[in-house]
Amino acid sequence: MAKNMHSYIDDHKGVLIEEDSLRPEGLREALKSTIFSNNISLFESTDSTNGQAKDLCVQGAPEGTLVLAEQQTAGRGRRGRTWQSPGRVNLLLSIVLRPPIEPERAFVLTMILALAAGDGVSDICGLRPVIKWPNDLYVGGRKLAGILTEFSVKENRIEYMVLGMGLNVNWDPDENPDILNPATSLLRETGHRINREDLLVRIMKHFDESYKILLSGKIMGFYRKWNKRSMVLGQEVEVESDGKILQGTARKIDKKGALILRDSQGTDREILHGDVSLRPLGNHH
Ligand code: BTN
């Protein structure tokens, strides 16, 4: 057991408690100067934190609502996929925002969450995750975290937005290997367990700081940072988008969050959604 993990039996409930368990009171205190100070809910188990957050939005949940779960029974990924995570070892969260921006700019919020998560990971354990377009965090060629952004538009404004993230922390993904989409975790990369609460607090503080900068209108810095951390730029890639396979060189990620791909004729194409993979050497025409 790592030094930051202490287990004991709770006298009242007779259950095994780990000090690493997420505790809403501790989080509220640690996040009191942020937009997340007032509305943190933690589910021991729920279908999907994004689903819960959306329900709360419909009931009028304010910006800064944070929904956490120790386990999800129907975790959702991008493009209709599922998100798998065993209980009590990873971070599963959804953030509610009501940003005063046009829907075309929505992607910048996903960007700041990915940047905040990368910075939080660096603070806590020194790793430097890269961003794989559109919004995955990778370490050593394996997926560490994924983000699912969902939002509702009313009169060309974002009515509410839910940013959901799953981040693999103390899980050993080699126990259930996914050969096609290999995953990693902080435990796998560092060799030791990480205190999830400390990590969550770091991430949410980075996010809060960036969100306030964004609301003040200064967004260019985020695009620069995002492009700098992107693992695909300058690379020969293959993108699967709307059932088509496109090949070319990844040039940049633009303000809409679209990937700009230069094809073999030298034409730049804007790709709004899809899955990107690096093309293996020897497969270029
Ligand atoms: C992806 O990589 O496809 C995105 C995965 C997003 C998973 C997170 S886990 C917390 C939140 N609730 C969900 O149902 N999905 C997101």
Side-chain angles (χ1 to χ4, degrees):
M1 197 190 315
K3 64 179 181 331
N4 61 352
M5 302 284 297
H6 301 286
S7 299
Y8 57 91
I9 303 288
D10 182 303
D11 286 342
H12 303 292
K13 302 195 193 89
V15 290
L16 184 72
I17 305 281
E18 283 180 341
E19 233 176 52
D20 178 54
S21 304
L22 299 174
R23 298 158 305 135
E25 333 74 66
L27 287 167
R28 253 172 237 130
E29 176 61 23
L31 294 172
K32 67 172 183 267
S33 60
T34 73
I35 59 167
F36 304 108
S37 56
N38 283 323
N39 297 288
I40 299 178
S41 35
L42 169 68
F43 290 87
E44 190 51 44
S45 177
T46 186
D47 49 354
S48 152
T49 56
N50 265 38
Q52 288 291 348
K54 278 213 275 188
D55 290 351
L56 291 172
C57 286
V58 172
Q59 293 159 31
E63 162 152 296
T65 298
L66 176 60
V67 181
L68 302 162
E70 288 288 17
Q71 180 139 37
Q72 291 182 132
T73 52
R76 306 205 285 254
R78 284 196 315 117
R79 311 186 82 203
R81 289 184 285 243
T82 58
W83 184 258
Q84 305 289 344
S85 167
R88 302 176 79 82
V89 285
N90 295 328
L91 288 179
L92 304 166
L93 61 98
S94 295
I95 296 170
V96 169
L97 296 176
R98 297 187 182 271
I101 59 168
E102 303 82 52
E104 300 76 56
R105 289 287 178 107
F107 189 73
V108 72
L109 279 319
T110 309
M111 274 186 184
I112 66 168
L113 179 56
L115 291 170
D119 287 340
V121 165
S122 299
D123 294 348
I124 295 287
C125 60
L127 292 171
R128 294 216 149 269
V130 289
I131 297 168
K132 180 163 174 262
W133 182 85
N135 46 31
D136 292 340
L137 288 188
Y138 267 62
V139 174
R142 288 165 170 255
K143 183 157 165 170
L144 177 72
I147 298 175
L148 176 67
T149 303
E150 299 178 275
F151 58 94
S152 155
V153 175
K154 205 173 179 181
E155 288 154 14
N156 202 36
R157 285 271 155 197
I158 294 175
E159 186 189 12
Y160 63 79
M161 179 172 221
V162 173
L163 291 173
M165 181 170 72
L167 196 159
N168 298 331
V169 185
N170 292 325
W171 174 42
D172 178 3
D174 294 340
E175 278 174 15
N176 301 86
D178 179 337
I179 309 298
L180 288 178
N181 302 298
T184 194
S185 69
L186 298 181
L187 171 66
R188 187 179 186 279
E189 297 299 325
T190 63
H192 58 85
R193 294 180 70 106
I194 302 289
N195 185 294
R196 290 179 302 146
E197 210 166 273
D198 291 348
L199 174 63
L200 179 63
V201 167
R202 293 302 321 158
I203 294 172
M204 301 320 285
K205 283 189 169 172
H206 281 297
F207 183 89
D208 176 72
E209 217 171 275
S210 299
Y211 188 57
K212 287 169 182 162
I213 294 174
L214 187 141
L215 290 182
S216 75
K218 298 196 199 91
I219 58 172
M220 287 318 288
F222 298 120
Y223 290 111
R224 273 196 295 275
K225 206 167 160 185
W226 173 267
N227 272 280
K228 240 165 101 183
R229 283 204 200 160
S230 173
M231 77 182 232
V232 296
L233 296 192
Q235 308 272 348
E236 289 295 308
V237 297
E238 198 164 84
V239 188
E240 194 268 288
S241 177
D242 292 332
K244 284 192 234 98
I245 305 281
L246 304 160
Q247 293 181 333
T249 311
R251 303 268 301 157
K252 66 166 186 171
I253 286 117
D254 75 4
K255 294 206 179 63
K256 279 188 252 168
L259 176 69
I260 307 298
L261 192 72
R262 181 159 292 179
D263 67 17
S264 53
Q265 271 84 50
T267 309
D268 281 349
R269 287 153 170 260
E270 185 185 62
I271 302 168
L272 280 164
H273 47 86
D275 284 314
V276 67
S277 49
L278 298 181
R279 286 168 67 197
L281 289 171
N283 195 16
H284 302 168
H285 305 291

